[in-house]
């Protein structure tokens, strides 16, 4: 049971609903702990193929709970550090899940909310969604979310938005590379379902390996060591039962065993 989350399963798809609508799904200690635990549990559940992150109420997530921030401001440095580590750990847990992850973003995705959207593999936004790294307006910085936001929009754009804290519209978020798709509000669930359908066609092990490949290769110089690493990764994967089944299914013109009806 969770106090701040609602987890719904539909076959191989698990949707984590952040469920603090009265505060626009703002983070506090409880939500951070519960979201970390939920991601860990779903990542080890072989029945789950895709994880969708969404928010109940009017917003995806407005970032940090102001009451939590107020308590942190009055706490000793060590207590602040412990809280910051938990937030950073939650974001990393989400970002490094082996399963494909989709952020279903509507309304506000501010501060840490923008971090969650960036940490997911795929971000689908309603046309009215609004993003921002608003931390400097509170005299702080978007530190814990920075690896994922910079990965999504690049250092040059982060240099602007980390300092101005400007609101970013959904179409602008798509231009920046943060949102993969922007759709009308009433088409948001249909677009998420469409992307989920595409993800369910892929092999579970190969999708996890693809995510690890991106982390290993992104922003790295093409050296002999990197080329050797990529060769070893594909050679290792080719020998797996999943790869053999995928090739056989293609040659036999049938769905692979991991596809519904296969």
């Amino acid at each position: 049971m969770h106090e701040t989350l609602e987890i719904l399963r539909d076959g191989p798809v698990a949707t984590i609903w952040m469920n603090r609508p009265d505060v626009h799904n703002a983070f506090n200690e409880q939500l951070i702990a519960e979201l970390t635990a939920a991601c860990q549990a779903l990542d080890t559940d072989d029945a789950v193929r895709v994880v969708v992150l969404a928010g109940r109420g009017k917003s995806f997530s407005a970032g940090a709970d102001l009451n939590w921030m107020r308590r942190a401001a009055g706490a000793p440095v060590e207590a602040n550090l412990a809280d910051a580590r938990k937030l950073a750990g939650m974001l990393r847990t989400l970002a490094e899940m082996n399963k494909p992850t989709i952020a279903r973003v509507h309304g506000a995705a501010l501060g840490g909310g923008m971090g969650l959207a960036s940490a997911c593999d795929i971000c689908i936004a309603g046309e009215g969604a609004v993003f921002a790294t608003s931390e400097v307006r509170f005299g702080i910085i978007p530190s814990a979310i920075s690896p994922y936001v910079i990965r999504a929009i690049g250092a040059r754009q982060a240099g602007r938005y980390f300092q101005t804290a400007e609101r970013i519209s959904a179409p602008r978020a798509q231009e920046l590379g943060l949102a993969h798709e922007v759709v009308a509000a009433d088409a948001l669930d249909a677009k998420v379902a469409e992307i989920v359908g595409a993800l369910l066609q892929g092999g579970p092990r190969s999708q996890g390996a693809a995510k690890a490949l991106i982390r290993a290769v992104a922003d790295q110089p093409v050296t002999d060591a990197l080329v050797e690493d990529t060769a070893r990764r594909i050679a290792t994967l080719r020998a797996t039962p999943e790869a053999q089944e995928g090739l056989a299914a293609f040659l036999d013109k049938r769905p692979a065993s991991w596809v519904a009806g296969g």
Side-chain angles (χ1 to χ4, degrees):
M1 297 295 294
H2 301 92
E3 292 184 16
T4 66
L5 303 177
E6 181 183 3
I7 300 177
L8 300 182
R9 294 172 181 251
D10 182 9
V13 182
T15 301
I16 303 173
W17 287 96
M18 293 178 283
N19 195 23
R20 302 186 76 213
D22 52 324
V23 291
H24 297 270
N25 300 312
F27 299 162
N28 62 3
E29 305 95 322
Q30 185 97 21
L31 190 149
I32 290 169
E34 290 186 359
L35 187 51
T36 302
C39 290
Q40 290 170 337
L42 293 173
D43 209 27
T44 57
D45 187 340
D46 290 340
V48 175
R49 291 285 319 278
V50 179
V51 175
V52 179
L53 181 62
R56 293 293 191 198
K58 295 181 179 180
S59 299
F60 176 70
S61 174
D65 186 300
L66 293 178
N67 289 322
W68 175 53
M69 289 177 65
R70 189 176 292 114
R71 289 195 300 272
V77 172
E78 284 303 315
N80 264 291
L81 183 56
D83 268 353
R85 284 172 174 158
K86 290 174 183 177
L87 173 57
M90 179 268 284
L91 290 161
R92 185 176 184 182
T93 299
L94 172 63
E96 295 187 359
M97 289 182 74
N98 289 311
K99 315 287 174 72
T101 55
I102 301 173
R104 176 200 180 277
V105 180
H106 75 294
L110 309 178
M114 182 166 166
L116 289 174
S118 301
C120 288
D121 300 319
I122 300 166
C123 174
I124 311 299
E127 60 188 4
V130 178
F131 302 83
T133 51
S134 47
E135 286 82 352
V136 293
R137 297 193 179 182
F138 299 99
I140 56 176
I141 54 174
S143 193
I145 69 173
S146 61
Y148 315 104
V149 176
I150 292 172
R151 181 180 66 183
I153 70 174
R156 182 66 171 167
Q157 296 293 352
R160 171 180 175 175
Y161 292 105
F162 280 18
Q163 296 181 87
T164 65
E166 294 167 89
R167 296 294 177 100
I168 301 168
S169 68
R172 178 61 175 155
Q174 187 172 26
E175 291 175 359
L176 293 171
L178 171 58
H180 291 85
E181 300 274 357
V182 174
V183 297
D186 60 2
L188 187 54
D189 289 324
K191 178 56 70 173
V192 170
E194 177 187 323
I195 300 299
V196 166
L199 289 168
L200 292 177
Q201 300 297 308
R205 178 168 179 173
S206 64
Q207 287 172 332
K211 293 180 69 165
L213 174 66
I214 294 166
R215 290 195 296 269
V217 172
D219 300 321
Q220 297 300 311
V222 181
T223 62
D224 290 344
L226 183 68
V227 170
E228 176 65 14
D229 180 57
T230 59
R232 287 186 179 276
R233 286 173 189 266
I234 184 59
T236 300
L237 210 60
R238 280 177 184 157
T240 64
E242 181 174 290
Q244 293 168 8
E245 163 62 11
L247 179 59
F250 178 78
L251 294 174
D252 295 343
K253 295 181 170 56
R254 61 172 174 82
S257 60
W258 55 78
V259 179

